[in-house]
Amino acid sequence: MTLTQRYVALGDSFTEGVGDWDPSRPNGVRGWADRVAEQLSLADPAWEYANLAIRGKKLRQVIDEQIEPALALEPTLVTLYAGGNDILRPKVDIDAIVQAYDGAIGRLRSGGAAVLVFTGFDSGQSPIFGRTRGRTALYNELVREAADAHGAVLVDYWRMKVLQDERYWDTDRLHMSPAGHILTAKKVLEVLRATDALDVPELDSLPALDRIQRLKHDARWAREYLGPWVGRRLRGVSSGDNLSARYPSPVSLRPAD
């Protein structure tokens, strides 16, 4: 008899799949976690998949709302990333949030699941998000310690320097493009030592912009994305407030293409 294996993905917009837009899927996105699940299922049909991640969630919300439902699903594998939305807030206690994160990793491991976690992305080249680089570096070191302490698997997102290429990012500059999600899926599968048939698409050439064109481009981005993002922070609302988990119950996914 084939034993069911179950992959459960937890977190925020990074794991929900924002930036990898697909109107045919729940919440209109696909994302790296779906792509990992598809490859696991392609290699072994016994794999099932649930994705509880919701955009905009802070670390403690992920822990409070997703850990127990994940454990109830009796997962074989859990991927967990949270903390990015905390790091972008005006004030954050990195030690405190990673202490909570450490506890969550321990709870998942005690349930018998293999756990995969991520360091944060190095946004040092961004004139806006690069200001949080020091916070992210501290967060990363503490996450590495937590992963070591609990025997979790680590994807060192900080060291994926290829992602510094803006073509791996969506137009909002905060979430990955489909190419970025595919690249991340390949890295996750590599760390898990799982085979994959994913091909990273060839990137389009970047248009050459002079200084004036670049300033106009940045101004349009600030108006269309940065301004609304800051406004939501000030109002205490999130883009995920009215959304539910994409796959709260286990499903079997197959590659769509």
Side-chain angles (χ1 to χ4, degrees):
M1 181 178 67
T2 302
L3 296 178
T4 297
Q5 301 190 81
R6 190 164 292 154
Y7 165 34
V8 180
L10 309 179
D12 53 27
S13 59
F14 172 73
T15 301
E16 186 190 348
V18 174
D20 189 7
W21 306 107
D22 185 340
S24 70
R25 300 205 179 202
N27 295 357
V29 295
R30 187 178 183 184
W32 65 264
D34 278 23
R35 295 174 184 276
V36 167
E38 291 162 9
Q39 293 302 308
L40 293 175
S41 183
L42 188 64
D44 182 352
W47 277 100
E48 295 180 344
Y49 168 60
N51 189 324
L52 308 184
I54 297 177
R55 66 195 72 177
K57 294 296 183 182
K58 296 167 71 174
L59 187 143
R60 290 188 182 275
Q61 291 175 303
V62 170
I63 292 172
D64 292 344
E65 300 169 14
Q66 299 177 22
I67 297 296
E68 292 305 323
L71 288 170
L73 294 174
E74 300 181 344
T76 308
L77 167 68
V78 176
T79 57
L80 173 62
Y81 174 71
N85 289 314
D86 300 78
I87 290 171
L88 292 173
R89 293 304 194 273
K91 294 182 179 179
V92 60
D93 185 336
I94 300 295
D95 292 278
I97 66 168
V98 181
Q99 184 177 17
Y101 202 35
D102 179 285
I105 296 170
R107 286 163 64 192
L108 292 167
R109 290 288 291 142
S110 67
V115 176
L116 183 149
V117 297
F118 297 80
T119 55
F121 179 67
D122 182 3
S123 60
Q125 294 187 0
S126 168
I128 301 296
F129 303 117
R131 298 175 184 179
T132 64
R133 193 181 193 217
R135 290 180 176 183
T136 303
L138 174 59
Y139 166 91
N140 288 349
E141 188 56 33
L142 295 175
V143 167
R144 291 186 183 104
E145 290 180 1
D148 287 344
H150 296 290
V153 179
L154 181 73
V155 171
D156 204 340
Y157 200 50
W158 176 273
R159 295 181 179 177
M160 292 177 66
K161 300 304 183 185
V162 65
L163 287 172
Q164 298 290 349
D165 189 319
E166 66 182 80
R167 291 172 293 182
Y168 286 115
W169 295 87
D170 194 25
T171 51
D172 68 359
R173 305 184 186 179
L174 185 61
H175 300 100
M176 292 182 294
S177 67
H181 279 278
I182 293 171
L183 191 66
T184 298
K186 287 186 73 70
K187 184 64 176 181
V188 170
L189 290 162
E190 175 189 323
V191 169
L192 292 174
R193 295 184 173 87
T195 58
D196 77 87
L198 293 172
D199 293 320
V200 179
E202 184 175 344
L203 300 176
D204 294 332
S205 298
L206 286 172
L209 300 179
D210 61 27
R211 180 173 177 275
I212 298 301
Q213 290 172 319
R214 173 58 65 179
L215 287 173
K216 289 181 178 179
H217 182 67
D218 290 345
R220 185 168 58 251
W221 167 77
R223 182 175 62 254
E224 296 179 1
Y225 297 103
L226 181 61
W229 180 83
V230 172
R232 289 195 298 272
R233 302 287 82 74
L234 294 175
R235 297 193 307 274
V237 299
S238 167
S239 57
D241 283 345
N242 297 315
L243 294 178
S244 300
R246 299 181 58 235
Y247 295 109
S249 301
V251 297
S252 295
L253 288 187
R254 297 292 187 272
D257 48 39

